[in-house]
Amino acid sequence: MALWGGRFTQEADARFKDFNDSLKFDYRLAQQDIEGSIGWARAIASVGIISSDEKDRLIAALEKLLESVSADPHGIADAGFEDIHSYVESRLIEEVGDLGKKLHTGRSRNDQVATDIKLWCRAQIEVLLSSIRNLQRKLTLTAETYQNVVMPGYTHLQRAQPIVFGHWAMAYVEMLERDYLRLENARRLMNICPLGSAALAGTAYPVDREQLAHDLGFDDATRNSLDSVSDRDHIAEILSCASISMMHLSRFAEDLIIYNSGESAFLELSDRVTSGSSLMPQKKNPDALELIRGKTGRVYGALMGILTTLKALPLAYDKDMQEDKEGLFDALDTWHDCLDMSALVLEDIKIRTERTTAAAKGGYSNATELADYLVSKGVPFREAHHIVGELVVYAIGEGKPLEDLSVAEFQKICPVIVDDVYPCLEISSALAKRCAKGGVAPQQVASAIGFMKNHLGL
Ligand code: ARG
């Protein structure tokens, strides 16, 4: 049964109905639609539109409906109704008869759907925040386990300076901290209740919208009814949070894919998160990580989708806005899965420390140390940089790392280099020197891990 038959003399074309109906995806708003309806029943009772007894009967029926939809949420999807609002209202009428028809007094599906989506986003944000925290904890514990494992740090994907694995892992904890704060902020901006804005001009009954907002767990009621029913900013904003975080996860995935490659062989991924090739028996592919990297695209797609749908839409509600849901649902599910999968990948990852250490020693990643050594001998940095460049070319020609050159070889290019150069070329010395806040020195890495353990309640 449609909610609006009176004005129509012809049946809707089946193809149009199929095109127009949203129940097949907005069934996911069932719980929120019922919660919002309970709030609305209280609101209209408080201004005498229904009696207190009628309100109680409506709420009891809505609670019963909530139980039945919670038992089989997906079961609603092909119940044949236009949308979740029609579904809930029809089921209510089935249960309490004509009384059910009173609930929609002063309400429109326009303020209803705006409220439902905000309630849904709020619940989903809770789940996502906890998945972000979970991944941060996993990363911090991994960082602690591999706190002192030396590996090359890269710029331009060229070995640049030695770092430790713990420092690499903590970099992602920082990114996720910003993702967490961004999402919390989005929740704060969004948590204002549109219910009571009706179709566009506001409800014609003097309900206390602030009380209603608080009943539904919102911080306040919206101030403008036109804006209330047209606003989908929060969807764009949450999808922007999701996109930025997925960008972080894709970089995390890509780093690990590189470290897992045969060429690096810095680590081994667990059999639990890899798959084999149907043709090449030796293969163990990083599918979980590749999917995280790949799924980033569809989350960006959802963000572009909603921005494009909303662009230049005239006030107030337009049916275009029904297109807000599928991208939102899919993107938040995807983000959630990718956060959890990232944590799972870390679960029994094995770092091959002999490989990471050998790689950190190779590639002349102590060249900066040699330049700093020359500076300590009074050579201006620019000149030192040039001299070390020549020494690297010489060492490459000899097929040796810098620390294997003799003093005589050093002195052929730069006479100020003496015996005391060798300790400076050791990785431990390169690490220890980076002792300013945020650097890779052991006590800095330890303090970063300690700070986050405390922050994350570990
Ligand atoms: N299914 C609709 C949506 O998701 C609900 C609002 C319908 N409002 C209307 N005026 N047709 O946007």
Side-chain angles (χ1 to χ4, degrees), residues 9-146:
T9 48
Q10 271 189 305
E11 279 289 305
D13 189 291
R15 286 162 301 181
F16 165 70
K17 181 168 159 47
D18 190 45
F19 187 64
N20 187 50
D21 286 1
S22 53
L23 186 61
K24 49 190 171 288
F25 48 87
D26 69 12
Y27 73 90
R28 290 187 65 173
L29 300 175
Q31 184 183 330
Q32 290 70 30
D33 199 72
I34 296 171
E35 277 172 30
S37 296
I38 292 176
W40 189 244
R42 290 207 176 94
I44 56 177
S46 71
V47 289
I49 296 164
I50 54 174
S51 70
S52 163
D53 172 62
E54 287 176 320
K55 171 199 73 182
D56 292 342
R57 278 162 53 215
L58 280 178
I59 292 178
L62 285 164
E63 280 170 351
K64 190 169 153 204
L65 182 57
L66 182 58
E67 258 174 56
S68 103
V69 300
S70 309
D72 179 19
H74 196 263
I76 313 170
D78 36 39
F81 292 90
E82 182 184 347
D83 55 25
I84 188 60
H85 325 295
S86 323
Y87 174 83
V88 169
E89 198 171 317
S90 304
R91 293 285 310 270
L92 187 64
I93 295 167
E94 252 169 60
E95 182 70 22
V96 297
D98 281 352
L99 170 59
K101 297 181 184 164
K102 290 190 178 176
L103 179 63
H104 210 56
T105 318
R107 183 176 75 163
S108 155
R109 282 185 293 167
N110 297 352
D111 59 346
Q112 205 177 340
V113 73
T115 307
D116 291 2
I117 299 175
K118 282 188 167 184
L119 288 171
W120 186 88
C121 286
R122 211 171 65 193
Q124 216 51 32
I125 286 174
E126 282 313 308
V127 175
L128 286 160
L129 287 173
S130 110
S131 283
I132 294 175
R133 281 287 186 248
N134 178 49
L135 177 56
Q136 284 184 299
R137 291 193 184 100
K138 196 96 231 151
L139 276 162
T140 305
L141 293 174
T142 310
E144 191 171 41
T145 308
Y146 298 109

Side-chain angles (χ1 to χ4, degrees), residues 122 125-126 129 183-191:
R122 211 171 65 193
I125 286 174
E126 282 313 308
L129 287 173
L183 190 55
E184 254 192 349
N185 195 49
R187 176 178 59 185
R188 191 176 59 77
L189 290 181
M190 158 204 100
N191 202 30

